[in-house]
């Protein structure tokens, strides 16, 4: 039944001239939009406050042990706040090796994997969840290239790091990856749903 509704809504949306200017061109956004019509705005990342699709996208950002040791937590956090993103989760912890091995699961066969785990468990980290329009992609741009040698000045890694093995910060590299990482590092009740008072200065209502 849901499948039929989705299909019907997709066709309806694609044929509607009204929607052509409203929806992002990405084909993958259609099910999300149809889903939000079927099951409600908040569930599908569609803000009832702003009416902008994707405004509730979330990503995981972590200040790594070198960033914490060098007292860069404030400056890194400030960049995301200044940009206009909304902080919805924050905590400091000594990362358990088991959790890190899940986090870096895809890199487990890389030669640098053992030293990466050793470094990531060498001291506390600060994990955060940021929310906002296009936050996953924008955060990756803000932190810069994995290798600080390639990272542009003005990015976190470009400004605060020299070597790939100590690149200060992590940010999820895809929407799916962000969802997985947020679930890995945060319990649901640790994430705050709150309304920013300057929302209309950040988004068109
Ligand atoms: P990766 O997921 O490829 O990059 P990113 O953090 O930009 O998503 O790699 C994870 C971390 O592994 C990276 O931030 C630093 C470390 N790393 C090394 O130490 N040496 C390397 O050659 C690479 C590619 C990564």
């Amino acid at each position: 039944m849901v499948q039929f509704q989705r299909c019907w809504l997709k066709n309806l949306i694609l044929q509607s001239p009204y929607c052509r200017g409203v929806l992002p061109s990405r084909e993958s956004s259609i099910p999300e939009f149809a889903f939000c019509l079927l099951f409600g705005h908040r569930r599908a990342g569609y803000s009832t406050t702003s009416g902008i699709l994707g405004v509730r996208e979330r990503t995981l950002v972590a200040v790594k042990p070198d960033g914490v040791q060098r007292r860069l937590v404030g400056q890194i956090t400030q960049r995301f706040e200044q940009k206009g993103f909304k902080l919805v989760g924050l905590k400091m912890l000594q990362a358990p090796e088991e959790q890190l091995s899940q986090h870096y699961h895809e890199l487990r066969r890389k030669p640098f994997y053992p030293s990466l785990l050793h470094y990531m468990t060498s001291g506390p980290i600060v994990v955060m969840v940021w929310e906002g329009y296009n936050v996953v992609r924008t955060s990756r741009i803000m932190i810069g290239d994995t290798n600080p040698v390639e990272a542009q000045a003005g990015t976190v890694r470009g400004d605060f790091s020299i070597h790939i093995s100590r690149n200060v910060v992590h940010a999820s590299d895809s929407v799916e990856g962000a969802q997985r990482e947020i679930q890995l590092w945060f319990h649901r009740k640790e994430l705050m749903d709150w309304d920013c008072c300057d929302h209309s200065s950040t988004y068109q209502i």
Side-chain angles (χ1 to χ4, degrees):
M1 181 61 182
V2 171
Q3 200 58 38
F4 168 77
Q5 284 174 313
R6 276 191 185 182
C7 190
W8 177 79
L9 275 167
K10 181 177 170 178
N11 287 336
L12 186 77
I13 290 158
L14 286 172
Q15 283 161 18
S16 161
Y18 165 76
C19 282
R20 256 169 233 143
V22 174
L23 288 174
S25 54
R26 265 187 322 126
E27 175 76 1
S28 62
S29 296
I30 302 297
E32 189 187 11
F33 186 75
F35 193 81
C36 99
L37 287 178
L38 285 169
F39 296 113
H41 295 89
R42 292 178 80 82
R43 189 74 200 276
Y46 196 100
S47 165
T48 44
T49 329
S50 68
I52 298 172
L53 188 66
V55 99
R56 297 191 73 242
E57 184 174 296
R58 289 179 173 184
T59 198
L60 184 96
V61 173
V63 183
K64 296 179 178 181
D66 51 328
V68 174
Q69 293 292 342
R70 292 174 54 203
R71 302 174 188 86
L72 296 174
V73 175
Q75 289 189 67
I76 293 169
T77 309
Q78 186 179 29
R79 289 183 179 215
F80 287 86
E81 281 195 319
Q82 278 178 336
K83 179 73 178 166
F85 292 128
K86 184 164 79 174
L87 185 63
V88 295
L90 173 77
K91 65 183 174 186
M92 186 181 209
L93 73 155
Q94 177 71 46
E97 195 166 324
E98 169 59 26
Q99 219 164 329
L100 280 168
S101 59
Q102 286 181 50
H103 180 92
Y104 284 124
H105 175 75
E106 284 172 13
L107 302 176
R108 65 194 182 286
R109 292 192 216 292
K110 300 283 183 189
F112 57 85
Y113 180 76
S115 56
L116 174 64
L117 251 56
H118 184 259
Y119 145 62
M120 288 298 292
T121 51
S122 67
I125 62 169
V126 173
V127 282
M128 312 174 211
V129 178
W130 290 92
E131 182 181 289
Y133 178 73
N134 228 3
V135 68
V136 172
R137 186 156 169 266
T138 307
S139 299
R140 288 295 291 189
I141 295 167
M142 286 169 67
I143 70 165
D145 198 282
T146 305
N147 188 348
V149 174
E150 306 294 334
Q152 301 268 327
T155 63
V156 176
R157 288 165 169 171
D159 289 352
F160 298 128
S161 61
I162 296 171
H163 195 265
I164 194 164
S165 64
R166 299 289 183 272
N167 63 5
V168 172
V169 71
H170 166 83
S172 313
D173 65 2
S174 66
V175 172
E176 297 72 29
Q179 284 165 0
R180 184 179 65 82
E181 291 175 3
I182 291 167
Q183 277 176 22
L184 180 63
W185 293 102
F186 284 89
H187 296 294
R188 232 182 145 75
K189 61 177 187 305
E190 291 175 316
L191 299 174
M192 298 289 296
D193 260 328
W194 62 287
D195 290 324
C196 240
C197 64
D198 68 350
H199 195 81
S200 61
S201 306
T202 314
Y203 298 103
Q204 182 185 4
I205 295 185

